[in-house]
Structures are given as C-alpha cells and as structure tokens.
Amino acid sequence: MCAVNDEVEDCPTLLPCWALLPSAAWYHVALWLDLPSLRSFMLSCKPCSEALRPAPEFRAAWLDNLAHVFPRDPVLQEREMSHPDTNTHIRFLALTPDGTKAVVSHLDKLLVWDLCTDTCAATLLGHAGEVSALAASPTEPLAVSGDASGQVLVWDLGTMSRRAQLAGHIGAVKAVAMTSCGKKAISAKNDTTLKVWDLEGGTCTAVLEGHTGDVVDVQLTGDGQCAVSIGCDQTLRVWDLGSNQCRHVLPAVVDRITSKKSFFIRGNIAASIAWVTPRSVVTVWDLETGVTLRKLTQDCVGTCAVWLPGGWELAVGFDDGCVRVWDVQTGECRAVLEGHRYFVRCLAAPPSAGPRSRACFVSGSVDHNLCVWGVSEDGRWQRRAVLTGDACTTCLAMSPGGRYVVAGDERGRLRAWDLGARGA
C-alpha cells in the first residue's frame, strides 16, 4: 500500500470537509479509491476556503484517520552482503538448519555467509564446472553440490571444508538431495539415471534406473525413506531407498517454463506444476499409495510453488503477478494475492513450524520487489510488507520459524531482512 502522509501535505485547505467524515464513510471511500484517485478527488474540492483551514489538532486527527484507512507497509531494515570477486547472479541458495549461515553459488564456487555478522565466512572451492545443484541437510551442518562437469562434493559447514568428493557421474549434475541424518545423498545427472551415495564412505551404493528421458529433479520424502524423481519422459517415480526399487510410476508433465524446482514435497504428498495448453495444471499425489489426489487448473502460466507450514496449503506464483493459495485437500482457492506488477519468479516459506511460520511466506518477482504475506486476525491472507530492490531476485529462503528472509539477486548480492522488526 502506498504511503499517504506526503500525498496530503500539499493540500491543507481540503482537510476540514474530510476530517468530518464518519468512519463508515472512510471505509467506503477506501473500497473504491486508491491513493492517487483520492488525492485527485480531494483536489476537486477547491471551494474549501482558506478560512476553513483546520487547527493543528484537527489536521493531526485527520491524518491519523487517513493512515488508519490506508496503512503504511512496515519499513524493514535491509542488510546487504556482496563479495568483491562476484558480480554474477546467485543461482542457488540454502540455509543451515539453525538459520545462521547461507550457502550461495557463484559460477564454480560456493560462498558461505554468516548472517549474524553479515560477513563471508568461507569460500568453498573444488568444482571443475559451474555449480548446477545445491542442497543442505535439514538437521546437520552439511551441504552437497553438483556441477556441470559431473562432480558431486560434500561440504562440512561447521569446519568450512570439503568432506568428500563423489566420483562417477559423466555429464552435468541436474539435482541433488540429502537425507535429514546426513548419511545419504541422491544425485540426478543429465541422463536417465540417479545415484545413491554413502556420505560416510564416499561411495556409490546404488544406481536407480527406469527413466527413459533425462532426470530433471530429485527430492526426498519427509521420512527420508524414499527418493522422488521427475524426468523428461513425463513420469514421476518413487524409489524405496531401502531396497533401491521403484515403488510407483506416476504420470507427470515436465516443461521448461516453471522454476528450477519441478515438484514440491510435504511429508508423503507431492505437487507438481506444469503448463498444459491452454492452462497451468497443479497435480497432487499421495506418494505412499501412488494415487493422484487432485488436479488444480488456472488459465495463466504457473512459475513456482511452495508448501506453507502448518497445514495443506500450497502457494503458487503465476505470470500475471498473482500468488494463489490452494487447499489441496479440498481443491479450494483460498486467496488470490495481488502485489506484483510482473510475473512471480520465486517463493519461500519457513521449512519448519514456529510461532510465525503458519502466517507468513514471501514472493519475489521480476519487478525487483519482494512481498511478505501473512494471515490477519480474521484468517484472511494479506500483504504485510514490501521489500523493495533494484535487481531481480533469483532465489529465496526463509529461516526456520519464519523470522528471517534471505534473497539472492542477479547482481550477485545477498540481502536479508528481520521480519520481527516493526511488526511485519
């Protein structure tokens, strides 16, 4: 919402007639006038004479009333972190489990930023090609990354050192995932196979074969017992990591329009988003039974999605600048959130429950802004803050509990905000 005090500063002669409006009138004005229209409407009331200029106490009360109807978005303190040797866009971003460090990719290296001191804690070198995949353990200070040359490296974020180099891929690594215990990793290469790695021994324990097209993404179920992959053969496959066998083969659509992540897992439920002319289709599966639970459609291009903590709500960003929140159990679209001028590029929500996590997520757009969305006291989604920028956001993350937002942009900068400041 736009700020209002500066808009009315230059037209004091208009204040008396508006100051007398009851609260109900203010409510109806707010329904159909945005701020520029309100100012124009007030400027049309020139018959208000200089003799009716209000006393200071009336003017203050009028401004308070206007600010109540058109509330300001909270202004949050931005912390910017940049490295002198990096000016390329940040492609991947991951946070440590405690939310105190951020790992970001810059071409063939990783930078670890300390979010408490806003300093670069380490530069992790060793990749022979551009980093093409990154994942962090949800419980341990570990990260795994893959690159365009086929290397998969495991990093200890406690000692800021390389823990293992996993050899065996030929061709670019498309995606990586790590179990919560930090003992296993799964990587997908630019062909039809996946590899399962023992991180303690640094060896490949299994090769998962079955896809007939390139594998483009792999993730783990909530209990870490299964890996889920999606490929250009238009199938989603569920792999049992105990037996290394394929449990289910589910029909899926893979396109090149959506963001880096092709599907999204919550527990044993997965959702994918794809453009199926002439609309976007969000498909929801039960990974335990292999049953398709629901298909949600929208007549615009879906670009990204994220599960919201504390329930079964899925937020999906679209090319019309809106974010739609769906209840995947009922299929109901609970909210259409309008806040961006151009298409929504990325979304982030807290990875774990906390006092703020149920009521907060963040969207980033090519309009250079981030919008913070929350649930009001009456249960409706609304915009809580706008975080402005001067470059396109390329990746987003939120800390456990939902207090901090971290964003990487196309200029190689990392920015962070504390949502606990000023009631955001």
Side-chain angles (χ1 to χ4, degrees):
M1 189 73 71
C2 299
V4 297
N5 295 29
D6 295 338
E7 288 284 343
V8 299
E9 197 71 36
D10 57 351
C11 51
T13 58
L14 309 180
L15 299 176
C17 57
W18 288 92
L20 300 177
L21 284 177
S23 59
W26 280 106
Y27 174 77
H28 290 291
V29 168
L31 285 179
W32 60 276
L33 287 180
D34 60 11
L35 184 62
S37 299
L38 176 60
R39 187 172 185 274
S40 298
F41 186 71
M42 292 174 66
L43 289 172
S44 68
C45 299
K46 283 295 183 182
C48 296
S49 66
E50 287 289 326
L52 295 177
R53 188 187 300 271
E57 60 270 20
F58 283 102
R59 187 173 189 276
W62 181 84
L63 290 175
D64 287 342
N65 198 7
L66 184 61
H68 175 72
V69 177
F70 298 98
R72 289 179 181 268
D73 284 320
V75 179
L76 302 179
Q77 183 66 39
E78 175 187 330
R79 297 146 50 199
E80 181 180 309
M81 291 155 272
S82 60
H83 195 281
D85 297 332
T86 57
N87 56 11
T88 58
H89 77 284
I90 297 176
R91 187 177 177 189
F92 298 102
L93 164 64
L95 299 185
T96 55
D98 59 4
T100 61
K101 292 182 176 65
V103 185
V104 300
S105 66
H106 284 283
L107 296 179
D108 60 350
K109 57 180 172 285
L110 300 175
L111 298 183
V112 182
W113 289 94
D114 188 324
L115 300 179
C116 299
T117 61
D118 297 346
T119 58
C120 183
T123 300
L124 305 180
L125 303 174
H127 280 293
E130 183 176 355
V131 175
S132 55
L134 175 66
S137 168
T139 58
E140 302 294 330
L142 296 172
V144 59
S145 56
D147 65 29
S149 72
Q151 278 188 326
V152 178
L153 303 180
V154 183
W155 307 95
D156 187 326
L157 300 180
T159 61
M160 301 298 173
S161 61
R162 187 170 69 187
R163 178 170 170 176
Q165 178 174 343
L166 310 178
H169 275 307
I170 299 176
V173 177
K174 299 292 290 185
V176 292
M178 185 186 299
T179 59
S180 58
C181 63
K183 294 182 178 180
K184 285 185 178 181
I186 297 91
S187 60
K189 57 179 290 189
N190 196 19
D191 65 5
T192 63
T193 65
L194 301 99
K195 289 184 182 292
V196 182
W197 304 92
D198 175 5
L199 298 185
E200 295 180 333
T203 58
C204 177
T205 59
V207 178
L208 308 180
E209 298 178 311
H211 282 287
T212 58
D214 289 354
V215 181
V216 297
D217 199 3
V218 61
Q219 295 177 50
L220 297 173
T221 55
D223 57 11
Q225 300 300 309
C226 292
V228 185
S229 60
I230 193 167
C232 292
D233 58 358
Q234 311 299 320
T235 65
L236 183 141
R237 294 174 183 258
V238 183
W239 307 89
D240 188 322
L241 294 181
S243 63
N244 295 321
Q245 299 298 312
C246 183
R247 282 188 182 180
H248 305 292
V249 179
L250 309 174
V253 176
V254 176
D255 61 36
R256 303 298 181 183
I257 298 176
T258 55
S259 62
K260 295 183 290 292
K261 292 187 65 174
S262 304
F263 65 100
F264 312 85
I265 292 180
R266 158 69 59 78
N268 284 312
I269 304 296
S272 77
I273 178 171
W275 174 252
V276 182
T277 306
R279 60 182 58 87
S280 287
V281 177
V282 178
T283 307
V284 183
W285 296 276
D286 184 329
L287 300 177
E288 187 68 29
T289 63
V291 173
T292 300
L293 298 178
R294 194 170 299 279
K295 288 191 176 184
L296 312 170
T297 61
Q298 184 64 40
D299 293 335
C300 47
V301 178
T303 55
C304 52
V306 68
W307 286 104
L308 304 182
W312 293 104
E313 290 180 324
L314 183 72
V316 183
F318 290 89
D319 68 343
D320 62 355
C322 295
V323 178
R324 290 169 174 84
V325 179
W326 268 300
D327 184 328
V328 300
Q329 290 185 318
T330 64
E332 175 191 3
C333 182
R334 292 191 168 177
V336 179
L337 307 178
E338 300 177 354
H340 292 292
R341 297 190 303 274
Y342 305 110
F343 77 83
V344 180
R345 181 166 183 171
C346 46
L347 295 166
S352 60
R356 302 173 56 82
S357 60
R358 165 63 181 87
C360 191
F361 73 95
V362 181
S363 59
S365 167
V366 296
D367 63 8
H368 298 176
N369 294 335
L370 305 180
C371 288
V372 181
W373 307 98
V375 177
S376 63
E377 293 182 357
D378 59 1
R380 293 183 299 174
W381 285 98
Q382 62 182 13
R383 193 177 69 188
R384 288 188 166 178
V386 176
L387 312 178
T388 59
D390 58 1
C392 181
T393 299
T394 56
C395 48
L396 269 177
M398 292 188 74
S399 65
R403 175 160 183 171
Y404 298 98
V405 174
V406 184
D409 68 22
E410 61 187 355
R411 297 184 181 178
R413 298 171 302 180
L414 194 69
R415 298 182 296 156
W417 295 266
D418 180 358
L419 298 186
R422 304 193 184 185

